[in-house]
Amino acid sequence: MWSRTIKNVCTVCSIRTVNFSNLANKKVCIVGSGPAGFYTAQHLIKNGPALEIDMFEKLPVPFGLVRYGVAPDHPDVKNVINTFTSIAKSGRLQFIGNVTIGKDVTLNDLRSAYDVVVLAYGAAQDRWLGIPGENLDNVVSARKFVGWYNGLPEESNLKFNLDVETAVIIGQGNVALDIARILLTPIDLLKKTDIAQHALEALSRSKIKNVKIVGRRGPLQVAFTIKELREMIKLPENCYRIHIDNREYIEACLPKTSRPRKRITELMLQSVNLKQSEKKDPSKEWELIFNRNPIEIIKNPNENKVEGLMVGINRLTGNDWENPKIEDTGLRETIPCGMILKSIGYKSLPLSDELPFDHAKGIIRQTEGRVEGMQGVFCSGWVASGPVGVIASTMQSGHDVGKRIIDDLKNGIVGTGTKKPGRDAILSQLTARGVEPVTFVEWEALDNEERERGKFQKKPREKIVDVREMIDIAKKGQS
Amino acid sequence: MSVWTADENDNNNFHRVIFFLLLLLCLRFVCLNCNFLVKMLRALSRLNVTSQRSLFMLKNKESNLHHSLQSVVRHEELSRSFCQSQTTLQKKMISVTFISRDGDSMKVNAKVGDTFLDAAINNDVDLEGFGACEGTLSCSTCHIIFKQEDFDKLPDKPSDEEMDMLDLAYGLCDTSRLGCQITLTESMDGIVVTVPAQVADARNR
């Protein structure tokens, strides 16, 4: 057994060195420390044992949407942070926070310093409806609202008014349901989560009693998933209405659908009929409204604020229920409301003018993760594929792009040419510009401080929402 | 971190391997309760030309061993494989095989009473991204597919919560389950499960 082992090891050594020596001391940088960045890093670390990997992040804190996008009442989804922490502390990755690529350092600077640059900076912009009234007060982007309640520093002063009775959410994805749930969950339950303190205080004074979740398509096309729908149905102190007016058509389509689609549609059909008397003293209500296309946001005649949403009523036709034709019936109705949240999707922006970008879709132009026309530059996650999918799909994207990078390095497609200086070149540039990079150990000091403060409030953590304060705590290790 | 570079001379390789093996034996004396090293030795004895990747993981683990031992409490995955108690030896062990999407077959010994996810983590099975949410029914990454006859013999039907997360899994089929929800029993000795790829987008359903 041992002689066979030793023989195998010798064969392996002589056969495989050629490929792996191409990876020796090659320098990779990843822009973005969310799931896309970390899962790409995970694959590179495992399959490229000699690579030097740096991860840049705009904020002083890592983890991207896992920290700032996942709802506060979904703490288990954030368990991936443990995996990311192991990766960051493996000794194979250097986290460099508080550095904005495109401002403190350019993409060209990175390309000069590293053999491979991976863009994994996600989508931090909104899609617009493009309808009149979109700029009125109290018309708020869902993305910003989520950032607000999750403690994202740039949204901590978001201006809106919860002193209204009815809020309309345009869009029927998981973000829409997250927002509805946060608006309607009893405060005593929210108090125990890591929701930002300013959000908890504002929500405890909220007068919102009715949330209408409006979509332009029908029940068969909802983008939210069944777990989130079930949470809404079980929400304490809330009753609900799911407005389905073409039940027979939907029931006829069901046999043609996949199991997941069938389950969620059946849940909606059953829930329409549930008696509301089961709920004890419901004080609030949510509604699912279908086939309504936003046309105009109606302004109060006396003040610059929202009074209602005018919608056109749609009819869905065609045999393909997955991609129905949407026809305007010509009928109009107005939904009175005091607040509108637009939950119609996110968008990315190009990091630099030279980056090939599809402005219509809001993504980088790429094929299989390789940025078009830019040797050595790759992209993974939402910035490559569009802002769709849960963490598991971004994980796949990260692993796939990691594999392509390893292949290209092994085959000499990238990483040839002069030896690159790596992080030393970038760090000296940052020092010259007065930028204070934050290391992972410093983030851990900040992490400890947030947990300590959370203990006072019986929350898992009290998120710090000011960037200056974050840096001070991280650097000093105490408040 | 230097790459394992080969010499023209096989002799030098031989010396390096002997030194490496001696080092391992020394470390084993130090870490008496540490069956992580036992597993490494077993992995070496199963090494073949196509699985050279495990050799590189081995080198990584050796150099990270000191670092990892110090941070055992913080790294949950490593702490599970390092800190198994003496009672492990007394619990019944069965054999479980995971087949990855690349077709690699990984046979491990797992404790009765653990879940499939525990078996994969404790044995350091090479499945990228498996069990991202750590068994809390918040993702679908521990999706495994059973043979029909094994599926029919599973003691419990999936709960609504498990079905809800399975709905997000790529390659969902009639014999799919989540590995974190199924507890291993003695009758599952020798069971073989397939781990499909992870691409999933709920909106495509």
Side-chain angles (χ1 to χ4, degrees), chain A residues 85-346:
Chain A
T85 300
S86 302
I87 294 169
K89 293 166 74 79
S90 64
R92 294 292 319 281
L93 177 86
Q94 174 127 335
F95 171 77
I96 305 173
N98 195 38
V99 175
T100 305
I101 308 299
K103 183 173 139 258
D104 302 323
V105 167
T106 65
L107 179 60
N108 280 335
D109 292 334
L110 291 181
R111 292 184 77 192
S112 307
Y114 293 93
D115 295 292
V116 170
V117 177
V118 185
L119 302 173
Y121 61 85
Q125 297 293 324
D126 297 306
R127 289 183 61 205
W128 282 74
L129 287 165
I131 61 175
E134 211 166 343
N135 283 316
L136 288 171
D137 287 348
N138 242 17
V139 178
V140 185
S141 132
R143 182 188 61 80
K144 288 182 188 252
F145 194 76
V146 170
W148 171 78
Y149 65 62
N150 272 333
L152 187 63
E154 70 190 71
E155 305 303 348
S156 49
N157 293 321
L158 190 62
K159 294 274 173 288
F160 55 85
N161 180 7
L162 297 175
D163 275 350
V164 298
E165 246 194 45
T166 306
V168 162
I169 303 176
I170 300 173
Q172 290 179 334
N174 280 333
V175 175
L177 290 196
D178 276 355
I179 291 178
R181 203 174 64 247
I182 297 295
L183 286 173
L184 297 171
T185 296
I187 281 290
D188 288 338
L189 295 177
L190 283 182
K191 263 188 199 157
K192 302 176 194 167
T193 69
D194 66 1
I195 192 169
Q197 191 61 24
H198 58 245
L200 194 60
E201 285 163 10
L203 289 165
S204 61
R205 295 188 302 261
S206 159
K207 298 213 168 77
I208 293 179
K209 298 239 175 306
N210 180 286
V211 175
K212 294 178 174 26
I213 305 156
V214 174
R216 59 194 171 102
R217 296 180 297 176
L220 284 169
Q221 291 81 32
V222 295
F224 53 71
T225 48
I226 191 170
K227 177 182 173 205
E228 280 71 18
L229 178 62
R230 241 188 252 286
E231 278 180 284
M232 292 300 293
I233 288 169
K234 293 183 187 165
L235 203 51
E237 298 176 19
N238 275 268
C239 59
Y240 58 86
R241 276 186 280 171
I242 301 179
H243 300 267
I244 295 184
D245 47 21
N246 55 346
R247 197 185 183 88
E248 298 76 26
Y249 166 72
I250 292 172
E251 281 171 347
C253 285
L254 276 185
K256 299 181 246 169
T257 61
S258 60
R259 184 182 102 176
R261 179 59 65 185
K262 195 187 293 188
R263 288 183 76 240
I264 193 175
T265 312
E266 281 173 350
L267 181 59
M268 276 189 275
L269 291 173
Q270 290 160 16
S271 305
V272 171
N273 292 329
L274 272 181
K275 290 212 172 61
Q276 295 316 306
S277 54
E278 288 167 37
K279 294 279 175 110
K280 266 196 226 168
D281 304 324
S283 53
K284 299 184 221 180
E285 184 184 29
W286 58 270
E287 300 175 61
L288 266 180
I289 300 176
F290 300 105
N291 300 317
R292 300 297 187 266
N293 190 34
I295 290 181
E296 185 179 339
I297 297 174
I298 313 285
K299 174 178 155 339
N300 180 294
N302 301 320
E303 296 163 65
N304 191 43
K305 63 178 190 180
V306 174
E307 203 171 61
L309 176 69
M310 183 169 59
V311 294
I313 302 182
N314 285 336
R315 181 195 304 123
L316 303 185
T317 59
N319 290 323
D320 182 4
W321 69 265
E322 286 189 78
N323 296 301
K325 261 184 70 184
I326 306 174
E327 280 174 9
D328 184 356
T329 59
L331 298 171
R332 300 284 179 262
E333 66 184 30
T334 298
I335 305 174
C337 60
M339 181 181 193
I340 293 181
L341 290 133
K342 299 178 293 172
S343 184
I344 55 170
Y346 296 22

Side-chain angles (χ1 to χ4, degrees), chain B residues 20-181:
Chain B
F20 184 58
L21 290 171
L22 280 173
L23 180 66
L24 277 179
L25 285 169
C26 291
L27 284 168
R28 195 181 177 205
F29 275 115
V30 172
C31 314
L32 264 175
N33 280 333
C34 207
N35 65 1
F36 164 70
L37 285 163
V38 173
K39 286 182 188 119
M40 272 209 295
L41 287 172
R42 284 194 195 138
L44 261 183
S45 68
R46 287 198 298 267
L47 187 70
N48 58 45
V49 176
T50 58
S51 61
Q52 29 72 27
R53 192 170 58 184
S54 52
L55 185 67
F56 284 88
M57 282 169 69
L58 193 68
K59 183 143 172 46
N60 281 343
K61 279 175 194 158
E62 186 217 316
S63 45
N64 281 331
L65 189 61
H66 182 61
H67 172 77
S68 303
L69 283 171
Q70 282 183 332
S71 57
V72 142
V73 172
R74 275 199 238 131
H75 294 257
E76 197 186 320
E77 284 188 12
L78 288 167
S79 70
R80 279 194 196 154
S81 48
F82 281 1
C83 298
Q84 286 192 10
S85 64
Q86 291 293 345
T87 53
T88 304
L89 298 168
Q90 294 153 17
K91 290 249 174 165
K92 174 85 179 163
M93 304 293 279
I94 59 166
S95 126
V96 175
T97 302
F98 294 91
I99 301 181
S100 76
R101 62 171 163 143
D102 299 323
D104 293 333
S105 182
M106 294 161 283
K107 188 172 179 178
V108 301
N109 282 336
K111 254 193 296 169
V112 167
D114 276 355
T115 62
F116 277 89
L117 177 60
D118 293 330
I121 302 248
N122 291 345
N123 287 285
D124 231 358
V125 177
D126 185 16
L127 294 166
E128 244 184 335
F130 197 75
C133 77
E134 300 177 2
T136 54
L137 277 182
S138 303
C139 74
S140 58
T141 60
C142 67
H143 174 207
I144 48 179
I145 298 176
F146 288 86
K147 294 188 196 147
Q148 187 67 54
E149 57 268 24
D150 294 329
F151 183 81
D152 294 335
K153 288 190 229 155
L154 292 174
D156 302 309
K157 292 265 172 286
S159 60
D160 272 343
E161 286 75 25
E162 183 183 341
M163 295 279 277
D164 289 352
M165 297 320 296
L166 266 174
D167 279 356
L168 303 182
Y170 184 73
L172 180 66
C173 62
D174 292 336
T175 57
S176 286
R177 290 293 301 268
L178 290 182
C180 64
Q181 298 301 300

Side-chain angles (χ1 to χ4, degrees), chain A residues 22-28 44-45 47-53 92 405-406 409, chain B residues 1:
Chain A
N22 279 354
L23 272 66
N25 303 318
K26 291 290 189 282
K27 302 187 172 36
V28 179
L44 289 175
I45 286 169
N47 297 283
L51 294 174
E52 290 180 21
I53 306 171
R92 294 292 319 281
I405 293 170
I406 299 278
L409 279 167
Chain B
M1 186 157 307

